[in-house]
């Protein structure tokens, strides 16, 4: 058992070298009545709040662990199908207490491809049990029956059940296809102890977002998590007094690790909001940051853009964001204009531009690889786009009109990061763009049940024989210690001999017309026979006539052709919600390309180059769809 070292300064946190469970149990013993997790929802002008102290969370986790212990062996997998809330936290921690490996995934609802993804994960992980909350027990039972998973045990972790131990979880078996069995009561036996996990034991399976491929189950160990969180909190100075506030899904690595496990590790408090509540009322997130005095709140770029565009002057005036010191921005390309727009919009509420912390990370490296340092503004470089197309990072004077603005993703946190030529495995010097390779304690064990994919991605060796690296598939460069991520290898477009990054093109599309504001766009290329750029943009077509829609398409084509210096001849409009995203909000460009090529993209309007139309629409209706469907 690892030993906890006493803190040297008041407000500092203890550091464990053992497991996530050790860290939480230490905080249970030291601060049992402190709020561990707060779940809040907006109801009109007031907040509805429920919470668990560390003692209550411990009882809830022990109860869930006792139920699991009668049905599973250590190392078995449990599928967690929860909305964001206290039940998820109790279920997740209960798995860790029992030595069962939790597999957090979205509820199988909404779109068919979401349900298919959840079913595929359940089979890939070979789960032994399914956990959910009481409100979704019936829907999960139906889904299991439809997917042929009704042989699995399943249960709802009910924090409100009688006998639950003052808010503790009381798992009750679902009726129906899984068959009723004995209901578990609270685990109150003081002789019961959590499973003694070791640093190299798998803590949970984090399924990748699938932005360029099918999701894979990343095997994240306890040691990986403690290494990653430990390096971040030492860099940023987080303590047990640092509050966190998040709307991010808890099945995504940033939401799970940065915004839930990190505060539980530190002994502080996590404030949680459901993603749908944020999307319906973005101000709820900022109101919660103000209400609970949160210092840490992480989100992808689009969330900051949404808040800057939608909050009214009256709503901004009612906020106090002066205590928000760590506004982490990651999980998707960072738009420097978004940072400036958000900072200007919320400066009257006390928000400081210097609070932005651009970050870079990925599930295969647990979470965070690089991050900005506190008390300094984000680093933005202006580079020559023509040189960048040749994989050369050539800085220009700040504000150069012809320059491409790139936000740095910060400096490396306790890891070995190299920029490598992906074709020759040669280490590249600063200023050259190549694949980002990573080595160190945060690099995970590989992909569950997929040794071939693990072999390709993990354990890479440079041309000079230096091994043990993770190949990220991301392109970037180092400049004076700052990492700039420029794109994905699989998504980069090579058009007329030039390397073009789709997210840069998508950013230009958003500026073409107000009709595109806040709506996602996917850009990719297809051979016809030369590589041709295709723009797929969501658009609300209702109440727009055919002439207006055609004019928007023409504006996209002319604007991009002028900016890029090459012809862009293919524009497709689709209904809102049709541009596929990952669980973290990233655009699934590879999937959108496959839908376009296969002819199953549900377009409301298409304006295609004749060669593209002949190749990909032969034998199918090729006329623009009349306006009014969206």
């Amino acid at each position: 058992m690892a030993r906890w070292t006493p803190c040297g300064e008041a407000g500092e946190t203890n550091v464990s070298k053992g497991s996530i469970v050790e860290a939480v149990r230490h905080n249970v013993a030291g601060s049992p009545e402190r709020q561990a997790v707060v779940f809040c929802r907006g109801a009109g002008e007031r907040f509805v709040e429920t919470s668990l102290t560390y003692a209550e969370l411990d009882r809830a986790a022990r109860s869930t662990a006792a139920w699991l212990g009668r049905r599973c062996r250590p190392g078995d997998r449990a599928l967690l199908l929860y909305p964001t809330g206290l039940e998820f936290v109790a279920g997740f921690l209960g798995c860790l207490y029992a030595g069962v490996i939790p597999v957090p995934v979205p509820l199988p609802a909404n779109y068919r491809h979401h349900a298919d993804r959840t079913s595929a994960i359940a089979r890939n992980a070979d789960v032994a049990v399914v956990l959910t909350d009481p409100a979704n027990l019936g829907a999960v039972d139906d889904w299991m029956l439809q997917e042929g998973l009704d042989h699995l045990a399943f249960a709802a972790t009910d924090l409100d059940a009688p006998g639950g131990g003052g808010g503790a979880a009381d798992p009750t078996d679902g009726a129906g296809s899984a068959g009723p069995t004995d209901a578990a009561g609270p685990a109150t036996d003081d002789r019961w102890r959590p499973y003694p996990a070791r640093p190299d034991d798998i803590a949970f399976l984090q399924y990748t977002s699938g932005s360029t491929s099918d999701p894979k189950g990343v095997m994240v160990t306890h040691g990986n998590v403690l290494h990653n969180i430990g390096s971040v909190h030492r860099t940023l100075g987080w303590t047990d007094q640092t509050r966190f506030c998040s709307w991010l899904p808890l099945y995504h690595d940033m939401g799970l690790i940065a915004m839930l496990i990190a505060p539980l590790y530190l002994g502080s408090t996590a404030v949680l909001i459901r993603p749908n509540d944020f999307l319906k009322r973005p101000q709820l997130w900022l109101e919660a940051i103000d209400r609970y005095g949160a210092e840490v709140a992480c989100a992808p770029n689009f969330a900051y853009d949404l808040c800057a565009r939608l909050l009214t002057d009256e709503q901004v005036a009612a906020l106090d964001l002066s205590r928000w010191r760590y506004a982490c921005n990651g999980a998707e390309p960072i738009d420097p204009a978004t940072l400036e727009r958000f900072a200007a919009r919320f400066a009257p509420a006390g928000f400081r531009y210097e609070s932005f912390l651009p970050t870079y990370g990925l599930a295969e490296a647990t979470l965070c690889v690089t991050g900005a340092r506190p008390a300094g503004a984000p680093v933005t470089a202006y580079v020559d786009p023509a040189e960048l197309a040749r994989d050369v990072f050539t800085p220009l004077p700040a504000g150069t009109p012809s320059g491409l603005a790139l936000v740095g993703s910060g400096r490396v946190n306790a890891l070995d990061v190299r920029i490598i030529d992906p074709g020759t495995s040669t280490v590249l010097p600063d200023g050259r763009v190549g694949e980002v390779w990573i080595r160190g304690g945060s690099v995970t064990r590989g992909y569950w049940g997929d040794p071939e994919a693990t072999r390709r991605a993990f354990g890479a060796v440079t041309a000079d024989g230096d091994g043990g690296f993770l190949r990220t598939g991301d392109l970037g460069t180092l400049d004076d210690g700052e990492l700039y991520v420029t794109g994905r290898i699989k998504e980069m477009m090579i058009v007329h001999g030039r390397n073009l990054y789709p997210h840069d093109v998508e950013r230009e599309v958003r500026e073409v017309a107000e009709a595109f504001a806040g709506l996602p766009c996917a850009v990719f290329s297809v051979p016809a026979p030369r590589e041709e750029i295709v723009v797929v943009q969501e658009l609300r077509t209702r109440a727009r006539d055919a002439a207006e829609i055609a004019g928007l398409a023409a504006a996209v084509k002319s604007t991009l052709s002028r900016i890029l210096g090459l012809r862009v001849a293919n524009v497709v409009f689709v209904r809102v919600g049709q541009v596929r995203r990952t669980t973290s909000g990233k655009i699934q460009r590879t999937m959108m390309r496959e839908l376009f090529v296969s002819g199953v993209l549900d377009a409301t309007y298409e304006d295609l180059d004749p060669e593209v139309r002949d190749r990909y629409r032969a034998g199918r209706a090729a006329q623009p769809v009349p306006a009014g469907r969206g």
Side-chain angles (χ1 to χ4, degrees):
M1 187 66 69
R3 183 172 64 88
W4 288 85
T5 304
C7 301
E9 300 288 341
E12 290 184 353
T13 186
N14 292 316
V15 178
S16 167
K17 295 181 179 179
S19 70
I20 301 168
V21 173
E22 274 189 63
V24 175
R25 295 278 288 173
H26 170 83
N27 296 323
V28 169
S31 305
E33 299 310 313
R34 174 176 289 175
Q35 282 184 320
V37 187
V38 177
F39 174 59
C40 63
R41 304 195 72 170
E45 298 300 317
R46 61 190 181 87
F47 276 85
V48 177
E49 172 190 300
T50 53
S51 66
L52 290 174
T53 65
Y54 274 92
E56 291 168 343
L57 176 58
D58 179 64
R59 287 196 296 271
R62 285 160 61 106
S63 180
T64 301
W67 184 89
L68 289 168
R70 293 195 291 271
R71 291 158 180 82
C72 303
R73 296 169 299 177
D76 282 350
R77 277 74 58 206
L79 195 72
L80 304 191
L81 294 174
Y82 293 89
T84 295
L86 301 180
E87 286 85 0
F88 174 94
V89 183
F92 180 84
L93 193 60
C95 288
L96 299 186
Y97 273 28
V100 171
I101 300 172
V103 185
V105 293
L107 281 160
N110 300 324
Y111 298 106
R112 181 67 229 179
H113 61 273
H114 290 164
D116 290 344
R117 179 181 184 272
T118 299
S119 301
I121 289 172
R123 291 188 171 87
N124 179 262
D126 190 20
V127 298
V129 65
V130 178
L131 295 180
T132 186
D133 66 341
N136 290 284
L137 186 61
V140 169
D141 186 13
D142 291 342
W143 165 76
M144 292 171 64
L145 183 61
Q146 293 169 10
E147 296 298 319
L149 300 171
D150 47 307
H151 61 284
L152 299 175
F154 71 105
T157 49
D158 189 355
L159 295 176
D160 297 322
D170 179 16
T172 54
D173 293 289
S177 57
T181 54
D182 61 305
T188 56
D189 188 344
D190 289 338
R191 294 171 299 176
W192 184 88
R193 291 291 180 269
Y195 177 78
R198 298 163 300 184
D200 59 349
D201 285 343
I202 299 174
F204 55 91
L205 296 184
Q206 178 68 62
Y207 274 79
T208 60
S209 55
S211 58
T212 59
S213 62
D214 292 331
K216 299 180 180 68
V218 177
M219 297 182 285
V220 185
T221 69
H222 287 270
N224 292 149
V225 174
L226 299 188
H227 180 274
N228 202 259
I229 294 177
S231 66
V232 173
H233 101 75
R234 285 190 295 271
T235 299
L236 299 180
W238 293 345
T239 75
D240 58 358
Q241 301 301 310
T242 305
R243 284 198 162 200
F244 295 65
C245 180
S246 174
W247 59 265
L248 293 167
L250 294 176
Y251 50 75
H252 180 253
D253 51 4
M254 184 186 287
L256 177 63
I257 301 171
M259 304 308 294
L260 177 62
I261 298 178
L264 295 181
Y265 163 86
L266 295 166
S268 57
T269 302
V271 179
L272 305 178
I273 301 167
R274 286 188 177 164
N276 284 345
D277 288 351
F278 164 74
L279 294 173
K280 292 176 183 176
R281 290 183 54 202
Q283 69 270 23
L284 183 64
W285 181 41
L286 303 185
E287 290 170 356
I289 292 171
D290 175 4
R291 177 183 179 89
Y292 296 99
E295 295 179 82
V296 183
C298 304
N301 187 84
F302 87 87
Y304 295 100
D305 179 67
L306 196 67
C307 291
R309 287 190 299 102
L310 295 186
L311 264 72
T312 66
D313 291 344
E314 183 180 12
Q315 289 168 335
V316 173
L319 293 171
D320 177 6
L321 303 179
S322 60
R323 290 166 292 181
W324 190 5
R325 297 178 56 199
Y326 309 97
C328 305
N329 189 328
E332 65 181 20
I334 301 170
D335 184 353
T338 296
L339 303 186
E340 294 170 3
R341 189 182 307 118
F342 184 94
R345 185 79 182 96
F346 294 99
F351 183 83
R352 298 175 299 279
Y353 183 77
E354 292 76 16
S355 295
F356 275 124
L357 294 180
T359 63
Y360 164 71
L362 66 164
E364 289 85 348
T366 302
L367 176 65
C368 187
V369 175
T370 64
R373 299 299 188 261
V379 177
T380 300
Y382 290 83
V383 299
D384 186 332
E387 289 292 290
L388 191 64
R390 298 174 47 247
D391 292 335
V392 179
F393 185 88
T394 304
L396 300 172
T400 301
S402 62
L404 175 65
L406 296 177
V407 178
S409 295
R411 295 175 179 270
V412 178
N413 289 318
L415 292 166
D416 183 3
V417 174
R418 312 279 181 92
I419 304 300
I420 306 293
D421 184 315
T424 65
S425 299
T426 303
V427 179
L428 297 174
D430 283 11
R432 290 290 305 279
V433 175
E435 185 179 10
V436 180
W437 286 21
I438 305 168
R439 181 171 62 183
S442 292
V443 174
T444 58
R445 281 176 46 175
Y447 301 119
W448 177 267
D450 198 338
E452 179 58 27
T454 298
R455 184 191 63 78
R456 290 195 302 266
F458 295 80
V461 180
T462 66
D464 56 7
D466 200 5
F469 285 94
L470 164 69
R471 299 190 63 163
T472 67
D474 291 315
L475 293 168
T477 189
L478 288 165
D479 182 69
D480 192 27
E482 187 84 10
L483 177 67
Y484 294 85
V485 179
T486 59
R488 293 280 300 171
I489 291 176
K490 292 182 180 180
E491 294 177 344
M492 186 175 65
M493 304 178 294
I494 304 176
V495 182
H496 299 183
R498 291 173 55 189
N499 294 345
L500 299 176
Y501 297 100
H503 58 266
D504 290 334
V505 182
E506 291 159 3
R507 184 168 62 191
E508 298 295 345
V509 173
R510 287 195 293 271
E511 302 299 322
V512 169
E514 181 63 28
F516 303 150
L519 296 176
C521 170
V523 171
F524 48 84
S525 65
V526 296
R530 300 178 307 173
E531 287 294 311
E532 296 285 351
I533 295 174
V534 178
V535 177
V536 179
Q537 170 68 55
E538 287 187 3
L539 178 68
R540 294 182 175 90
T541 56
R542 192 177 301 279
R544 301 183 192 276
D545 60 28
E548 181 183 2
I549 294 172
L552 288 170
V556 170
K557 292 165 65 174
S558 62
T559 301
L560 293 184
S561 297
R562 173 176 51 80
I563 291 173
L564 300 177
L566 51 85
R567 190 179 70 126
V568 177
N570 304 282
V571 176
V572 180
F573 293 143
V574 296
R575 294 193 306 274
V576 174
Q578 293 302 301
V579 171
R580 299 288 181 85
R581 290 177 178 268
T582 69
T583 56
S584 62
K586 298 177 185 176
I587 303 298
Q588 291 182 299
R589 301 181 184 93
T590 301
M591 179 176 290
M592 294 304 296
R593 182 183 185 276
E594 291 172 356
L595 294 174
F596 176 83
V597 168
S598 63
V600 297
L601 194 63
D602 187 14
T604 57
Y605 180 90
E606 287 186 344
D607 185 352
L608 303 180
D609 174 83
E611 290 186 338
V612 172
R613 183 181 299 282
D614 290 345
R615 172 169 288 205
Y616 299 106
R617 296 295 178 266
R620 294 187 290 268
Q623 297 302 314
V625 179
R629 287 180 55 194

